[in-house]
Amino acid sequence: MKRSVIILLAALLLSISLWGEGEESSDYAKFQAYMAEPSGESFQEANAYYLGFQDDMSGILQMYLHWEELNRLIAGFAARSDSLDLGTSFQYANLLLAIGRYEEAIPIYDRLNVESPQWSCPYRHKGEAYLKLDKLSEAEASLLKSIEVRQDHYDAYVMLAEVYNAQGRYEEALKTLEESFKYKGDHGEGSEVTEEENLEGTVEKLHQELLEKTGRN
């Protein structure tokens, strides 16, 4: 994914160079200044300018500006990830998970599993990362561990049902999903209420799919 972004960025810069030939392009100049010396200060200066953009190209530049700054900040965190406290490490790994950098997130969850083995959430999120990578056996093991550590971890059951469904184990998937209903709304320590709310549509759709696959009404 990073390689494709670099290619797209190179193409953008080339197109902007052609676009700006023969005319003064302050829009491009702000982005170019940031790329020449990326820092928090140069980002803030460019971002303040693009907040009031008047045309589509300026909007595109603003999006690339934020993408580049995000990657700069991630590189800084990666360089000192071993020194981050547990809570910060967890949120950093979750950010990597959210933007699709699953293979970078997994080692951080591994460290959290070692340093805080009775914390259920990193196992659950690691299971999600493995599921996204289509590594279903690893996802299953991590989600089962999450449930072992905390029996009422609702979204761990839901995701484990998704794994079983992807493996073609429909009876186990349905049983696991319906087991999760016991714990819906029963928030234990460290549970994530917003995740439960976000799962509503997914759970209903998955439940109906599994009922059909197992021949239930």
Side-chain angles (χ1 to χ4, degrees):
M1 184 178 73
K2 290 171 69 177
R3 182 173 180 273
S4 64
V5 170
I6 291 170
I7 293 171
L8 286 171
L9 182 57
L12 173 73
L13 293 175
L14 176 60
S15 66
I16 292 172
S17 298
L18 296 173
W19 168 62
E21 283 181 359
E23 63 177 283
E24 184 66 26
S25 174
S26 59
D27 291 349
Y28 175 48
K30 296 291 186 182
F31 181 77
Q32 190 177 41
Y34 168 79
M35 292 300 294
E37 295 185 27
S39 67
E41 291 75 16
S42 60
F43 168 78
Q44 289 178 11
E45 182 177 347
N47 187 52
Y49 176 84
Y50 290 126
L51 282 174
F53 70 85
Q54 283 84 35
D55 56 75
D56 290 340
M57 182 56 73
S58 295
I60 294 292
L61 285 167
Q62 184 185 33
M63 288 186 277
Y64 271 105
L65 174 71
H66 280 263
W67 177 258
E68 287 300 311
E69 180 65 4
L70 174 62
N71 282 294
R72 185 185 73 83
L73 293 172
I74 286 174
F77 270 79
R80 54 191 178 86
S81 62
D82 290 343
S83 65
L84 299 175
D85 63 55
L86 295 181
T88 304
S89 293
F90 181 58
Q91 294 304 331
Y92 171 48
N94 290 346
L95 183 143
L96 294 173
L97 177 64
I99 62 174
R101 294 169 69 160
Y102 312 122
E103 292 180 348
E104 295 173 62
I106 288 170
I108 302 172
Y109 292 130
D110 282 336
R111 181 171 71 86
L112 293 170
N113 296 156
V114 171
E115 295 186 13
S116 187
Q118 295 306 307
W119 187 7
S120 178
C121 293
Y123 292 111
R124 207 288 290 158
H125 286 244
K126 185 170 71 172
E128 180 179 351
Y130 277 126
L131 176 58
K132 297 292 188 182
L133 290 168
D134 201 32
K135 295 184 176 181
L136 301 181
S137 295
E138 292 88 341
E140 178 186 0
S142 191
L143 292 166
L144 286 170
K145 184 65 178 178
S146 178
I147 292 168
E148 177 188 327
V149 170
R150 198 180 93 212
Q151 186 181 2
D152 65 348
H153 200 150
Y154 170 74
D155 46 305
Y157 285 95
V158 174
M159 192 153 291
L160 182 59
E162 291 183 32
V163 171
Y164 288 151
N165 186 37
Q167 292 174 323
R169 297 158 63 181
Y170 305 128
E171 291 286 350
E172 290 174 84
L174 181 60
K175 180 180 178 181
T176 301
L177 187 64
E178 293 184 339
E179 179 74 11
S180 77
F181 299 160
K182 297 179 184 178
Y183 308 111
K184 182 180 177 182
D186 182 17
H187 302 293
E189 183 180 355
S191 61
E192 298 156 22
V193 180
T194 54
E195 287 196 10
E196 180 176 307
E197 293 171 349
N198 292 335
L199 283 171
E200 285 300 316
T202 299
V203 171
E204 291 177 10
K205 182 178 178 181
L206 179 60
H207 192 214
Q208 183 60 39
E209 178 184 343
L210 292 171
L211 287 172
E212 291 172 1
K213 286 180 175 178
T214 56
R216 268 69 159 185
N217 292 326

